[in-house]
Amino acid sequence: MRRLIILGIALLLALLPALNLTGLGISDFVVTVVGKWLCYAILALSIDLAWGYAGILSLGHGAFFALGGYAMGMHLMRLIGPRGSYGHPVLPDFMVFLGYQELPWFWWGFQSFPFAMLMALLIPGALAFLVGYLAFRSRITGVYLSILTQALTYALMLAFFRNDMGLGGNNGFTDFKELLGLPLNTPLARALLFWASLAALCGCLWLGTSIARSKLGRVLVGVRDGEARLRFLGYDTLQHKLFVFVLSAMMAGIAGALYVPQVGIINPSEFSPGNSLEAVVWVAFGGRGTLVGAVLGAFTVNALKTWLTSVAPDVWLFVLGAVFVAVTLLLPRGLIGLLEKRR
C-alpha cells in the first residue's frame, strides 16, 4: 500500500509541468517552487540515510549541497561565452571585471556537462571521505561530530566569499543562459528540470530503501544503536560509517546540481550553517530513520515556509524553532510515527 501511495504521488507531481506546458492552470511559479522542494527532499533523504540509520548527525550537509550547486554553476557560466556583458569568449564576466588574464586550472573541463555532473558527485564525496575518515578513525561521534561538520560548513562559506578564490565571491554565479542547448527561461526547460529532479528523488529513495532493507542496513542500525558491540563482534564500523557518509554527501551534491539551474543563482550563502540546521529539522519533522518521512518533512516544512514568508516573514525562524521543539517533545518519530500510531 505504501508503495502504491508513493507511486501515485510521484505521478501526480509529474503531471504539474505537463499541465503548465498545456496552460491548464499551473503557473510557472508553482513548477519552479515544487522543483526546488524536490531538490530539498533529496537533501533531506541524504541526511536521513546517515543520521536515521547510522546515527551520524551531520550539520554540514548544506556544504555538500552547495558544492554540487557550484559544480553545476561553473558549467553554466562556461556556457555563457561571448553572450556575457563583457563578451569574452572564455572568461566569465566576474573574472573579466576582476582582471583575470586566463581561466584558472580548476575551471578546466567544466564546459562539458558530463564532467560537471561527475564533479557534482566527486567533490562532495571526496570532502566527506576526508572528513569522515579523520573523524571516524578518531572515534569522534555525537555532538562533537555535529560541531565539526558545522565548523567545516562555516569555514567553506567564509572561503567562498573571497573574490580571490575565482568562484564569484559574494555575488556567486547567476545570469545563466542555457543547459544542454536549451534556454533556461522557457517552460520546457522548467518542465525537464522538474522531471529530472523527480526522477533523481525516486532513484535516491529506491537506493536508500534497498540499503535499509539489506544486511548493510541492519549493520548501520547496529552502528547507530550499539557501535561498541559491533566492534566487539568483529565488524569494521569505520568502513560502514564512511560508506554511508560519502554516499549521503554525493546525494546532497546531486540535489545541489539540480537546484541551481531551477533557481538561476548560486552564492556562498548556500553554505550558511542555518541551511544545514533547517534540513535536519525537515528530517526530524517527517520521521527520522524512515526515508519517506524525510521526503514528507521536506515538502511539509518548505510548504509552510513558502506560505509563511509571504504573509509574515519576520516570524518564520521562530515558527521553525517551535516546530523543532514540538516535534522533539511530542512527536519523537515525526509525522510518519504519528500516522503509523493512528493506523
Side-chain angles (χ1 to χ4, degrees):
M1 180 62 67
R2 179 179 293 183
R3 291 179 180 178
L4 290 176
I5 292 173
I6 294 173
L7 180 60
I9 293 174
L11 291 175
L12 288 175
L13 288 173
L15 285 176
L16 292 180
L19 295 175
N20 173 255
L21 289 173
T22 53
L24 296 178
I26 300 299
S27 65
D28 296 342
F29 173 78
V30 171
V31 174
T32 302
V33 169
V34 179
K36 287 170 52 180
W37 294 351
L38 291 171
C39 299
Y40 290 152
I42 299 173
L43 174 60
L45 187 67
S46 69
I47 294 174
D48 193 30
L49 188 61
W51 182 31
Y53 287 90
I56 304 171
L57 177 54
S58 167
L59 298 181
H61 265 59
F64 304 136
F65 179 86
L67 288 172
Y70 262 90
M72 177 56 68
M74 293 170 73
H75 171 65
L76 296 173
M77 292 298 289
R78 289 296 310 271
L79 295 181
I80 295 176
R83 290 173 293 177
S85 300
Y86 292 96
H88 197 284
V90 177
L91 297 181
D93 286 343
F94 75 90
M95 289 188 182
V96 179
F97 177 78
L98 294 175
Y100 280 74
Q101 299 300 318
E102 59 182 14
L103 195 70
W105 63 268
F106 51 85
W107 281 76
W108 298 347
F110 277 96
Q111 70 276 7
S112 168
F113 177 78
F115 180 84
M117 288 302 300
L118 182 63
M119 291 298 104
L121 289 170
L122 293 184
I123 294 174
L127 180 61
F129 180 86
L130 177 62
V131 174
Y133 179 78
L134 295 176
F136 301 149
R137 188 185 64 172
S138 303
R139 298 186 181 179
I140 298 175
T141 58
V143 66
Y144 301 104
L145 179 63
S146 301
I147 293 173
L148 175 64
T149 53
Q150 189 176 42
L152 171 68
T153 303
Y154 188 69
L156 286 172
M157 183 182 69
L158 294 179
F160 273 70
F161 266 116
R162 296 172 58 93
N163 286 325
D164 56 4
M165 283 283 291
L167 293 169
N170 60 337
N171 294 319
F173 304 145
T174 188
D175 194 30
F176 306 132
K177 305 296 185 184
E178 64 178 35
L179 178 62
L180 296 175
L182 186 67
L184 287 174
N185 58 348
T186 61
L188 179 58
R190 283 188 288 269
L192 292 176
L193 287 168
F194 184 102
W195 287 324
S197 301
L198 180 59
L201 174 59
C202 293
C204 290
L205 184 59
W206 172 82
L207 178 60
T209 303
S210 300
I211 292 174
R213 293 179 176 176
S214 67
K215 180 181 178 182
L216 173 60
R218 294 192 291 272
V219 173
L220 292 176
V221 172
V223 170
R224 181 193 67 192
D225 296 337
E227 185 177 356
R229 293 183 180 182
L230 276 183
R231 285 200 298 265
F232 178 77
L233 292 173
Y235 285 92
D236 188 351
T237 58
L238 170 63
Q239 291 185 2
H240 291 82
K241 291 169 69 176
L242 197 58
F243 168 78
V244 73
F245 190 57
V246 171
L247 178 61
S248 67
M250 295 173 75
M251 285 184 179
I254 292 175
L258 291 168
Y259 173 83
V260 167
Q262 295 187 71
V263 300
I265 188 173
I266 178 72
N267 57 47
S269 64
E270 295 295 339
F271 286 98
S272 173
N275 292 345
S276 298
L277 288 169
E278 189 174 330
V280 170
V281 175
W282 305 340
V283 177
F285 183 77
R288 172 192 171 195
T290 60
L291 296 180
V292 174
V295 176
L296 178 62
F299 270 84
T300 305
V301 176
N302 280 287
L304 176 63
K305 179 180 180 180
T306 301
W307 172 75
L308 197 58
T309 51
S310 63
V311 297
D314 296 334
V315 302
W316 161 243
L317 291 179
F318 297 100
V319 172
L320 180 65
V323 166
F324 185 68
V325 173
V327 168
T328 303
L329 296 178
L330 304 176
L331 298 173
R333 296 185 60 197
L335 290 178
I336 291 295
L338 178 63
L339 294 174
E340 291 180 349
K341 183 178 180 180
R342 290 180 63 86
R343 185 180 63 181

